[in-house]
Amino acid sequence: MLIRSWDRGDEAEWRAWLAQGRDFGLLAANGLPGRGPVLVPTHFLLDAVQGEILLHLAAPNPLFAAVRADPEVTLAVTDDYVFAPGHWRGEPGTPTSYYTSVQFACTAAIVDGAAEKAEILNRQLAHFQPETPDTRVTPGAGPFGKLLPGLRGLRLTVREVRAKFKYDDKKPAADQHAIADRLAERGHGLDAGARTQLLRRNARRTQGL
């Protein structure tokens, strides 16, 4: 992912963006020889304190074979994306895309022990389903414990985080603000989210936030 100096997001920025409920991404691993990359859409749990990401997949998922061959993976989270028509952006009228993308370069470890898998599942349940605190996974017991052999966990150790907030920060602040008005007028798809990010980035420039 190309990140220009004006598009770069800092750690506080991307952490706040993810904390707004963005916990679904695209996990990519290098494919086996002669094949393309393996891409898996998945929910995940970011443990900021430990610097790791936890998730689980069905045991037959081809990603596991890819990880055994090469444990270096990337998890990408992309949102607040829209198309910006050229006539919104002044001369020479070049259209572009606005989006936010946070990408984690990680080293993956497969988790296959029953207790360790249950721990990952229970942490995910506590995050995604907090309204049912009694619903937990116990190896070999209950309806969920018996399903553990059918899945594997993944523990991703984060090596690098790259964040891009592409919202025309290189343009004059007044022009950027005018584009936010255009997004409000159009008002479809993800325009509202993109406008929020554009105005937030605009405020950072004009108010030193």
Side-chain angles (χ1 to χ4, degrees):
M1 175 172 65
L2 174 66
I3 302 179
R4 305 286 192 183
S5 59
W6 54 83
D7 294 331
R8 187 172 293 113
D10 60 37
E11 182 174 358
E13 190 175 15
W14 65 255
R15 285 190 183 279
W17 184 77
L18 288 176
Q20 293 168 355
R22 296 180 177 92
D23 42 26
F24 188 89
L26 188 64
L27 181 60
N30 292 318
L32 298 177
R35 301 182 183 180
V38 179
L39 304 176
V40 178
T42 181
H43 277 100
F44 65 90
L45 178 63
L46 173 64
D47 186 331
V49 175
Q50 296 297 323
E52 64 182 15
I53 293 168
L54 304 174
L55 59 106
H56 73 279
L57 302 169
N61 197 297
L63 186 112
F64 291 115
V67 165
R68 290 189 184 94
D70 184 350
E72 303 309 314
V73 300
T74 300
L75 177 68
V77 184
T78 303
D79 199 359
D80 296 328
Y81 53 86
V82 297
F83 178 81
H87 60 273
W88 286 11
R89 304 179 67 239
E91 294 299 328
T94 306
T96 193
S97 299
Y98 295 152
Y99 60 87
T100 300
S101 189
V102 178
Q103 299 186 2
F104 298 90
C106 306
T107 302
I110 298 173
V111 178
D112 220 0
E116 291 80 7
K117 289 190 291 187
E119 178 191 4
I120 290 176
L121 287 169
N122 286 329
R123 290 183 64 181
Q124 287 190 288
L125 282 168
H127 173 73
F128 291 106
Q129 199 172 309
E131 70 275 13
T132 59
D134 293 333
T135 302
R136 293 295 181 263
V137 179
T138 301
F144 301 116
K146 297 175 182 178
L147 300 176
L148 281 175
L151 59 86
R152 293 189 175 97
L154 275 173
R155 191 180 299 273
L156 311 181
T157 300
V158 178
R159 295 183 288 102
E160 181 186 11
V161 183
R162 306 183 73 237
K164 181 172 183 175
F165 291 80
K166 184 174 181 286
Y167 297 100
D168 259 339
D169 283 23
K170 66 179 178 179
K171 288 192 170 296
D175 292 355
Q176 189 185 33
H177 202 280
I179 293 172
D181 292 339
R182 294 275 201 169
L183 287 168
E185 292 170 5
R186 188 171 67 179
H188 67 68
L190 299 179
D191 284 347
R195 181 175 183 271
T196 295
Q197 297 305 321
L198 189 151
L199 288 174
R200 184 186 57 76
R201 296 281 293 190
N202 182 274
R204 284 165 59 99
R205 300 170 61 194
T206 59
Q207 302 172 23
L209 299 179

